[in-house]
């Protein structure tokens, strides 16, 4: 006696998403061979039959994507980051490469930071122009307000956060180990016998900046416990988006006695470090003779600056590719605990330090 078995039935028993089951049954890309085998074996065992003669499996695509077209990953990117070439464009390049490897298309959107909460469905509020039935999942690049992330979750698509953490949401996160990056920078300067270290940062701009600062403080506290000598540490908070921060900090520096000026500077990212190193040179300081400068990111211009900038390398393209891998895993294993993956960092010593 035949039984009515739906894609949802198979998905529930296997702990997979309906999307993954549909892809496996139709022979399309986007699922691993082991997952495809599990789906097909259960479908046969339950008598899931296909309409075409001689076939053992029937695939109904009720409320499913049209599998004649490949699925796509919806990439949410803050409008402010879309033109930034040194970091986010490289992460985006990695995401696109990862999508191509999976046989997925990609759609890039910049959701409004003030999405209505109830007036219209989340899909229409976020990206009304796309065919959501083909959306395999969502990759969110960088920081977005919690209200926007909530609306993205309401689409009921798997979602991956890149370089941003939101503990209240059940989302996987892929990021760099920014804590390690701060520790690495501070330990390197300590090894160079620096006694007065200054950090230039804008904590309000990104969680990664705050994490790097914590890493620096951890490294310095650990050093103080191990050594009898002391290292002075001071944080200089600037408005990073306001280009005049360099001149304001320079004015403060001029009023500092020579014995209170830092003998080493850490920029919360390479751009800050590069701007400040240039300003120090304009003020008559020689780098590294009068002070060491180190950044975090390893952007292209860090290697071509004068002098070349010592920095902590963050693997940006790899970050994007790992986000796609995380999305694929979440599609295939929707019920598993959320994961936070942190990619390690590497020191790149150059002439500035």
């Amino acid at each position: 006696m035949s039984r009515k078995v739906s894609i949802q039935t198979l998905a529930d028993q296997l702990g997979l998403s309906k999307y993954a089951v549909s892809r496996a049954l139709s022979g399309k890309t986007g699922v691993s061979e082991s997952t495809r085998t599990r789906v097909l074996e259960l479908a046969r065992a339950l008598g899931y039959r296909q309409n075409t003669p001689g076939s053992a499996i029937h695939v109904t695509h009720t409320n499913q994507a049209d599998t004649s077209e490949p699925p796509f990953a919806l990439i949410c990117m803050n409008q402010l980051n879309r033109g930034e070439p040194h970091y986010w464009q490289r992460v985006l390049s990695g995401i696109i490469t990862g999508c191509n490897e999976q046989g997925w298309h990609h759609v890039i959107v910049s959701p409004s930071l003030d999405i209505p909460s109830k007036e219209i469905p989340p899909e229409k509020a976020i990206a009304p122009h796309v065919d959501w039935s083909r959306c395999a999942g969502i990759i969110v690049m960088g920081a977005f307000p919690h209200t926007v992330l909530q609306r993205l979750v309401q689409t009921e698509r798997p979602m991956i956060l890149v370089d941003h953490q939101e503990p209240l949401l059940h989302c996987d996160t892929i990021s760099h180990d920014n804590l390690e990056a701060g520790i690495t920078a501070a330990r390197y300067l300590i090894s160079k016998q620096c006694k007065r270290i200054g950090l230039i940062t804008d904590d309000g701009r990104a969680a990664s900046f705050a994490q790097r600062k914590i890493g620096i403080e951890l490294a310095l506290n650990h050093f103080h416990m191990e050594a009898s000598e002391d290292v002075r540490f001071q944080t200089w908070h600037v408005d990073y988006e306001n280009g005049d921060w360099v001149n304001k900090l320079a004015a403060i520096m001029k009023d500092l006695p020579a014995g209170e000026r830092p003998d080493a500077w850490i920029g919360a990212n390479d751009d800050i470090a590069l701007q400040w190193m240039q300003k120090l040179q304009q003020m008559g300081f020689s780098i590294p003779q009068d002070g060491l400068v180190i950044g975090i990111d390893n952007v292209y211009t860090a290697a071509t600056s004068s002098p070349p900038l010592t920095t902590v390398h963050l693997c940006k393209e790899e970050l994007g590719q790992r986000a796609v891998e995380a999305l694929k895993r979440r599609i295939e294993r929707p019920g598993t605990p959320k994961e936070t993956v942190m990619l390690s960092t590497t020191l790149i010593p150059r002439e500035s330090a």
Side-chain angles (χ1 to χ4, degrees):
M1 181 172 58
S2 63
R3 294 175 292 174
K4 293 182 179 180
V5 181
S6 67
I7 288 179
Q8 187 65 63
T9 302
L10 299 175
D12 291 342
Q13 293 202 27
L14 292 169
L16 299 173
S17 67
K18 291 172 66 177
Y19 168 81
V21 171
S22 176
R23 300 296 290 180
L25 291 172
S26 60
K28 301 294 184 180
T29 59
V31 295
S32 65
E33 287 305 314
S34 60
T35 297
R36 192 186 311 281
T37 299
R38 290 170 57 209
V39 172
L40 295 178
E41 288 178 350
L42 180 61
R44 293 188 182 98
L46 296 181
Y48 193 47
R49 299 193 175 278
Q50 193 169 12
N51 286 340
T52 54
S55 178
I57 298 175
H58 168 49
V59 183
T60 56
H61 294 288
T62 306
N63 296 324
Q64 296 295 308
D66 178 4
T67 53
S68 64
E69 293 290 335
F72 65 82
L74 187 75
I75 304 170
C76 294
M77 190 174 188
N78 193 306
Q79 187 65 42
L80 294 175
N81 296 330
R82 294 193 74 154
E84 192 282 308
H86 303 298
Y87 185 87
W88 285 114
Q89 284 297 325
R90 294 176 63 183
V91 175
L92 177 62
S93 176
I95 293 175
I96 293 173
T97 297
C99 287
N100 292 338
E101 291 174 350
Q102 296 299 329
W104 297 347
H105 288 176
H106 65 276
V107 175
I108 304 173
V109 298
S110 295
S112 168
L113 301 184
D114 187 24
I115 296 178
S117 59
K118 296 181 180 179
E119 289 80 359
I120 56 178
E123 293 86 354
K124 295 296 183 183
I126 295 162
H129 59 287
V130 305
D131 178 7
W132 279 87
S133 67
R134 291 177 45 228
C135 179
I138 302 170
I139 298 176
V140 181
M141 297 177 60
F144 277 88
H146 183 75
T147 52
V148 175
L149 296 178
Q150 282 182 315
R151 291 295 270 165
L152 289 168
V153 168
Q154 289 170 6
T155 66
E156 298 184 348
R157 265 55 174 198
M159 190 164 86
I160 308 298
L161 303 181
V162 180
D163 210 19
H164 180 68
Q165 296 181 355
E166 194 68 37
L168 297 180
L169 299 180
H170 189 80
C171 298
D172 296 326
T173 299
I174 309 293
S175 66
H176 294 113
D177 193 340
N178 289 294
L179 199 70
E180 180 190 62
I183 292 173
T184 299
R187 283 182 174 175
Y188 181 72
L189 293 179
I190 290 172
S191 74
K192 294 294 182 180
Q193 309 302 315
C194 297
K195 302 302 179 185
R196 300 180 303 279
I197 297 176
L199 168 67
I200 308 175
T201 186
D202 182 354
D203 284 353
R205 184 177 187 274
S208 59
F209 282 16
Q211 292 164 357
R212 293 168 191 178
K213 176 185 175 184
I214 293 172
I216 294 168
E217 292 172 337
L218 287 173
L220 293 174
N221 289 337
H222 188 265
F223 173 78
H224 291 159
M225 288 188 295
E226 286 190 336
S228 57
E229 53 188 332
D230 194 24
V231 175
R232 294 173 56 189
F233 173 63
Q234 184 170 0
T235 301
W236 305 83
H237 295 278
V238 301
D239 183 359
Y240 177 51
E241 298 297 337
N242 183 350
D244 196 42
W245 70 263
V246 179
N247 294 325
K248 292 180 178 178
L249 183 55
I252 296 174
M253 271 282 291
K254 289 180 180 178
D255 294 335
L256 285 178
E260 295 184 13
R261 294 171 183 166
D263 56 10
W265 295 91
I266 303 175
N269 66 6
D270 279 355
D271 186 47
I272 290 175
L274 289 168
Q275 288 189 57
W276 183 237
M277 182 168 68
Q278 183 181 35
K279 188 63 179 180
L280 287 173
Q281 291 171 321
Q282 292 174 356
M283 295 167 63
F285 293 95
S286 179
I287 308 298
Q289 290 79 7
D290 296 329
L292 309 186
V293 180
I294 184 171
I296 297 174
D297 271 350
N298 193 27
V299 300
Y300 292 131
T301 51
T304 59
S305 63
S306 180
L309 180 69
T310 295
T311 185
V312 179
H313 175 68
L314 306 182
C315 39
K316 292 159 277 293
E317 288 83 1
E318 178 68 15
L319 186 72
Q321 290 179 280
R322 289 298 299 272
V324 177
E325 293 175 10
L327 180 58
K328 180 174 181 289
R329 176 189 174 278
R330 181 53 54 190
I331 290 169
E332 296 182 353
R333 305 182 64 189
T336 54
K338 71 175 183 178
E339 291 188 342
T340 298
V341 177
M342 291 190 178
L343 305 188
S344 190
T345 62
T346 308
L347 179 75
I348 308 293
R350 298 191 181 108
E351 284 82 345
S352 74

